[in-house]
Amino acid sequence: MIQTVRALGVTAVVVASCLGGQAAAQTKQLTLCWAAWDPANALVELSKDFTAKTGIQMKYEFVPWTSYADRFLNELNSKGKLCDLIIGDSQWIGGAAENGHYVKLNDFFAKEKISMDDFMPATVVGYSQWPKNTANYWALPAMGDAIGWTYRKDWFARPEIQAEFRKKYERDLAPPQTWDELKQIAEFFQGREIDGKKVYGAYIYTERGSEGITMGVTNALYDWGFQYDNPKKPYQMEGFVNSPDAVKGLEFYKSLYKCCTAPGMSNAYMSEGLDAFKSGQVAMQMNFFAFFPGLYKDPNVGGDKIGFFVNPKQKYHFTQLGGQGISVVSYAEHRDDALSYIKWFAQPDVQKKWWALGGYSCHKAVLGDPSFPKSAPFAADFLKSMDIVKDFWAEPAYASLLLDMQKRVHDYVVADKGTAKEALDLLVKDWQKVFKDEGKI
Amino acid sequence: MSTLAERAVARTPNRLALRLGNLSDKAIAWLFITPSVLLLLAINIFPLLWTIQLSFTNYRANRPNAVLRYVGLDNYRDILTDPEIWHAMQATAHFVLWSIAMELVLGFGLALLINRRFRGHSFWTTIILLPMMLSPAVVGNFWTFLLQPQIGLFNNAIAVLTGVDPSSFQMIGDVRLAPWSIIMVDAWMWTPYVMLICLAGLRSIPDYIYEAAEVDRASPWRQFWSITLPMVMPFLMLAILFRAIENFKMFDMVNLLTSGGPGSTTEVASITLKREAFEKWRTGYSSALAIILFVTVFGAANIYVKALNRVKQR
């Protein structure tokens, strides 16, 4: 009897330890931090394959865009262990690299034969490198993005609207090629009644609290000739940030805000733009490409009713870079598992599925595929846009630089404070002070 | 044979008496207040002293490995000579003064009304108190919708009353109206609080004083100026003190309503402080700003409390 009890006890211990081991393997978990938006849902779907393959569970920390930078920069600065993987904004790369928040990935890439040549050059520079244009990699390009435009294709196609536009401007109503054309179209639609409803010309970014108005205004500024500094002498901003062309670009953005936006859009960013477009309020909308798959699927304004176009040109042709790279956080407790996720994510097949699910791959296997431009109605415009992207400062002091620009531009565009020249002159002074504090000038 | 419980009851006082018996009253008092003092030191005094120390440095919390340099009074000089900071202080003063004025007039008026104990006054008191029970974050969010020019109830109500197009004006996007929007929302939320304090004051006035005034044939207006107002004055001053301290550091509601905009029109001192401390990460500079704000509130509150005591003694 005693022997039987002993045998049962031993068996129980063995079974329990086996189950315990299995449970431990099952509870291996990675936390991925990103913004709460459509592509994040696509990534959740995609990552199920990673869990199926490795047994590592994925946990997500998604934060709305307006508090995304605050939340995760605080997390990184306090050396928090919340995120094993982070899809951080392109402008964070300088600070994250210099302050040791991200794991440098060069050795890992070399070991795993992950080549940055397999990714679109603009995304490698924008999302992975610090210092820029050097072979120092801190992230894998994860989510390609840039500013693009959507328009109401169905409104543009109406014969009576076409006729009226032709009569007024002596050209066909079509997606604008230049900012001047865009403003004409916006003026044409502003206050017009369509299907018994008053509509407005354009939706543009004006948000004050985080990065909104900067991400919007730069699209015009770049095209008029604004430059962050002297290409031959870094950090020399006088005459580049506040050049006569930059002043014209800023004046234009303000005139577009005043003439052709819906009332109440004085503090609006991505989600307000989506709301305005989905509710049939605006003819054209500035927003990131990341939202376009969702808009195309929208039952009210998607499908045949929506069209897309690249940010218009003026003297030059650029668009604001969005998007992010995926990095391993230095303070992560599961660094090896996080690296295995990056290795998995870098595979061409996974990248293809990423695009199919609604994420924007930066991999040449996806973007270089001859069928890519026709794979979605906005795919060709996305490709064109990624060739003309320009990004905000990615310096370690980017947050200070961004806040200064938010303030100066919002003061001028929305609050009618001073002139465009004064706003940009003050911006130069603010930025000089930041770089002086940083010891760079 | 006694039970375990009986033995425990019998022994406990002896043990306690044995342990405390050797201690003086002063020592026992210290024993009781030490945990509170330690807690206060840990969560109030130590951070304050640390903040004061940081305010003389160039420290940045996001760069803990950078060389820490003592900059003397540079941070204080930079703040006090920065026109943007003065603008933020002006915006704060405008907000504090007008919101308190509005809350005081409305709160006192409502208290006078509720004090009449008309039929259903308890029900209306509860209804009036509802706004102050909400979170400022919730209030900020839903007023953003209420003030939306196209769909917002506020603009549409103004349109019905005045006949103007509801989308022809915007409350939180207009430089002239935005400061008044945050004052209005704050008044909506906190007038009930002032009303409660005033009501407590009104109910503390003994009825016989009014009866004596009526015997002397004093008019209601005279009764108000000679009895009600002087006797409620300490309560009014208390309400002003509480609201002034609260509104001086108001952040959440303003941040949600306007984010300090348009431009920097409604950028009150607390929003500037948050941006400097947790967005620009200028920890030393923002510590100096925090100390300046603290001294301002602390100094003003002290002067005010002395005035309040004088009013009470009258």
Side-chain angles (χ1 to χ4, degrees):
Chain A
M1 178 67 184
I2 291 169
Q3 276 180 343
T4 314
V5 171
R6 271 187 193 156
L8 280 172
V10 170
T11 313
V13 169
V14 171
V15 169
S17 60
C18 289
L19 287 174
Q22 219 171 28
Q26 277 172 356
T27 52
K28 251 180 150 184
Q29 197 177 60
L30 278 177
T31 303
L32 190 152
C33 299
W34 199 12
W37 61 334
D38 288 351
N41 300 329
L43 191 67
V44 171
E45 199 55 37
L46 181 74
S47 300
K48 286 176 183 167
D49 291 353
F50 174 74
T51 302
K53 195 178 169 190
T54 61
I56 300 170
Q57 300 293 319
M58 294 299 291
K59 197 180 151 203
Y60 303 94
E61 192 70 25
F62 295 152
V63 173
W65 272 110
T66 43
S67 39
Y68 164 72
D70 266 8
R71 173 76 182 85
F72 290 131
L73 288 177
N74 275 337
E75 182 65 25
L76 293 173
N77 287 326
S78 59
K79 300 187 177 177
K81 295 182 191 308
L82 172 73
C83 315
D84 296 300
L85 290 157
I86 190 163
I87 304 190
D89 231 348
S90 54
Q91 302 98 335
W92 303 358
I93 198 92
E98 291 196 8
N99 296 321
H101 300 323
Y102 291 171
V103 173
K104 192 171 184 183
L105 296 172
N106 286 48
D107 292 345
F108 168 72
F109 284 166
K111 188 181 150 207
E112 299 296 343
K113 297 189 171 47
I114 297 170
S115 170
M116 284 294 104
D117 293 341
D118 291 340
F119 292 84
M120 209 166 180
T123 65
V124 175
V125 177
Y127 310 149
S128 301
Q129 291 180 340
W130 186 261
K132 297 288 174 198
N133 299 305
T134 65
N136 294 289
Y137 305 112
W138 305 88
L140 183 89
M143 171 76 195
D145 205 358
I147 289 284
W149 289 78
T150 64
Y151 70 100
R152 287 298 298 264
K153 205 172 172 181
D154 53 336
W155 295 355
F156 276 46
R158 291 188 184 185
E160 71 279 11
I161 289 178
Q162 279 279 355
E164 199 182 326
F165 186 86
R166 198 175 299 116
K167 193 177 163 193
K168 193 169 181 187
Y169 297 107
E170 294 172 348
R171 64 183 174 87
D172 286 342
L173 176 57
Q177 299 294 313
T178 66
W179 280 99
D180 288 333
E181 286 179 13
L182 184 138
K183 194 177 169 196
Q184 279 181 351
I185 297 171
E187 281 170 339
F188 176 78
F189 277 104
Q190 183 74 2
R192 181 170 291 271
E193 201 157 289
I194 294 181
D195 300 333
K197 204 170 141 190
K198 193 175 181 181
V199 304
Y200 301 91
Y203 173 83
I204 56 175
Y205 292 160
T206 57
E207 187 250 11
R208 168 73 174 92
S210 59
E211 57 171 18
I213 200 163
T214 301
M215 293 294 110
V217 76
T218 45
N219 294 287
L221 290 177
Y222 297 153
D223 285 355
W224 259 268
F226 167 97
Q227 285 179 291
Y228 287 102
D229 55 1
N230 184 347
K232 291 173 189 161
K233 194 178 175 195
Y235 308 114
Q236 190 206 314
M237 294 164 288
E238 187 68 48
F240 292 87
V241 168
N242 55 353
S243 64
D245 285 337
V247 170
K248 280 183 202 161
L250 184 55
E251 284 169 346
F252 177 86
Y253 198 77
K254 179 173 179 165
S255 70
L256 188 62
Y257 168 69
K258 295 287 176 193
C259 80
C260 309
T261 56
M265 291 297 172
S266 57
N267 189 22
Y269 198 19
M270 298 178 259
S271 57
E272 287 82 1
L274 297 174
D275 291 343
F277 194 80
K278 283 179 181 177
S279 61
Q281 203 179 58
V282 290
M284 294 176 289
Q285 176 209 193
M286 160 194 279
N287 224 327
F288 284 106
F289 272 91
F291 296 109
F292 294 180
L295 284 171
Y296 185 67
K297 285 179 199 156
D298 189 271
N300 298 319
V301 297
D304 292 341
K305 292 179 183 168
I306 192 172
F308 306 90
F309 61 92
V310 178
N311 190 48
K313 61 188 170 198
Q314 199 66 24
K315 202 171 170 183
Y316 305 94
H317 198 194
F318 291 105
T319 192
Q320 174 61 46
L321 179 73
Q324 300 89 24
I326 185 167
S327 301
V328 177
V329 178
S330 299
Y331 324 111
E333 285 176 333
H334 313 104
R335 186 184 287 202
D336 290 341
D337 292 339
L339 287 169
S340 69
Y341 184 93
I342 301 238
K343 184 185 168 188
W344 168 81
F345 187 72
Q347 296 172 81
D349 286 349
V350 176
Q351 289 288 315
K352 281 177 186 164
K353 190 169 179 187
W354 175 221
W355 166 244
L357 288 170
Y360 281 81
S361 170
C362 306
H363 204 286
K364 284 180 182 169
V366 179
L367 303 176
D369 190 313
S371 66
F372 179 81
K374 289 189 176 170
S375 59
F378 39 83
D381 288 330
F382 174 67
L383 268 187
K384 277 185 218 159
S385 295
M386 291 309 286
D387 275 339
I388 56 168
V389 287
K390 205 171 191 179
D391 201 5
F392 187 74
W393 294 106
E395 295 280 331
Y398 114 90
S400 296
L401 300 163
L402 179 67
L403 283 169
D404 290 336
M405 185 151 184
Q406 285 286 108
K407 179 182 168 61
R408 297 304 176 196
V409 174
H410 210 270
D411 264 343
Y412 170 68
V413 173
V414 180
D416 293 327
K417 203 171 163 185
T419 64
K421 177 80 171 85
E422 284 165 357
L424 293 177
D425 286 348
L426 286 168
L427 184 60
V428 170
K429 280 187 184 159
D430 293 341
W431 283 359
Q432 281 172 341
K433 192 171 180 309
V434 172
F435 285 122
K436 205 175 164 191
D437 287 348
E438 291 287 301
K440 297 204 167 173
I441 53 174
Chain B
M1 194 177 171
S2 60
T3 64
L4 185 64
E6 282 166 350
R7 269 182 281 152
V9 168
R11 279 186 180 187
T12 309
N14 291 342
R15 277 188 184 171
L16 191 66
L18 203 70
R19 282 183 186 173
L20 298 180
N22 299 331
L23 296 174
S24 66
D25 286 354
K26 204 174 176 185
I28 292 171
W30 270 109
L31 194 68
F32 281 115
I33 63 165
T34 300
S36 306
V37 169
L38 287 177
L39 204 65
L40 189 75
L41 283 172
I43 63 173
N44 275 7
I45 308 299
F46 170 68
L48 178 67
L49 295 176
W50 199 23
T51 307
I52 293 171
Q53 189 215 337
L54 287 177
S55 73
F56 299 109
T57 68
N58 68 340
Y59 182 64
R60 283 171 180 265
N62 65 337
R63 294 181 203 171
N65 302 326
V67 180
L68 185 71
R69 196 161 46 84
Y70 279 86
V71 295
L73 292 170
D74 284 4
N75 287 332
Y76 289 92
R77 189 201 56 208
D78 290 350
I79 290 167
L80 295 173
T81 54
D82 185 350
E84 307 295 339
I85 296 286
W86 283 107
H87 173 267
M89 297 302 265
Q90 278 173 6
T92 310
H94 181 271
F95 171 62
V96 171
L97 289 176
W98 283 106
S99 59
I100 289 177
M102 212 179 263
E103 284 159 25
L104 219 56
V105 171
L106 294 173
F108 192 35
L110 283 171
L112 285 170
L113 206 66
I114 295 290
N115 196 38
R116 287 175 181 266
R117 297 176 196 270
F118 54 89
R119 199 171 160 216
H121 77 276
S122 301
F123 170 76
W124 287 110
T125 307
T126 311
I127 295 291
I128 291 168
L129 291 181
L130 280 178
M132 64 173 264
M133 294 174 191
L134 299 171
S135 140
V138 173
V139 172
N141 263 327
F142 81 63
W143 271 96
T144 308
F145 290 113
L146 290 177
L147 296 172
Q148 218 284 334
Q150 296 169 78
I151 54 161
L153 275 180
F154 182 85
N155 279 40
N156 280 289
I158 297 289
V160 169
L161 292 173
T162 63
V164 299
D165 179 4
S167 56
S168 65
F169 67 99
Q170 40 180 325
M171 292 295 291
I172 51 179
D174 187 295
V175 181
R176 288 160 304 155
L177 297 176
W180 293 103
S181 305
I182 58 172
I183 289 166
M184 181 182 73
V185 175
D186 190 77
W188 176 84
M189 186 173 180
W190 291 111
T191 293
Y193 177 75
V194 177
M195 184 201 79
L196 268 190
I197 294 177
C198 293
L199 198 60
L202 288 172
R203 296 208 169 147
S204 72
I205 305 173
D207 285 344
Y208 68 82
I209 300 180
Y210 288 107
E211 285 160 12
E214 273 173 27
V215 169
D216 289 344
R217 307 185 72 180
S219 66
W221 188 242
R222 183 72 187 164
Q223 287 179 31
F224 176 78
W225 280 109
S226 301
I227 302 169
T228 311
L229 199 59
M231 296 200 78
V232 172
M233 191 54 83
F235 291 85
L236 285 177
M237 290 188 74
L238 209 61
I240 292 173
L241 179 69
F242 289 160
R243 289 310 310 144
I245 292 173
E246 274 296 304
N247 280 5
F248 196 82
K249 57 191 177 68
M250 174 62 72
F251 173 78
D252 34 15
M253 195 192 72
V254 179
N255 193 44
L256 280 160
L257 271 176
T258 63
S259 303
S264 40
T265 311
T266 58
E267 189 171 314
V268 290
S270 57
I271 290 190
T272 308
L273 180 59
K274 186 254 182 180
R275 284 187 174 145
E276 292 294 339
F278 301 112
E279 290 179 20
K280 291 187 177 180
W281 291 97
R282 297 172 74 192
T283 315
Y285 180 90
S286 54
S287 296
L289 179 56
I291 294 297
I292 289 172
L293 295 178
F294 171 72
V295 169
T296 309
V297 178
F298 191 72
N302 262 317
I303 295 167
Y304 190 83
V305 167
K306 277 182 186 161
L308 178 66
N309 287 336
R310 270 205 295 273
V311 171
K312 272 186 185 169
Q313 282 163 5
R314 256 192 256 154

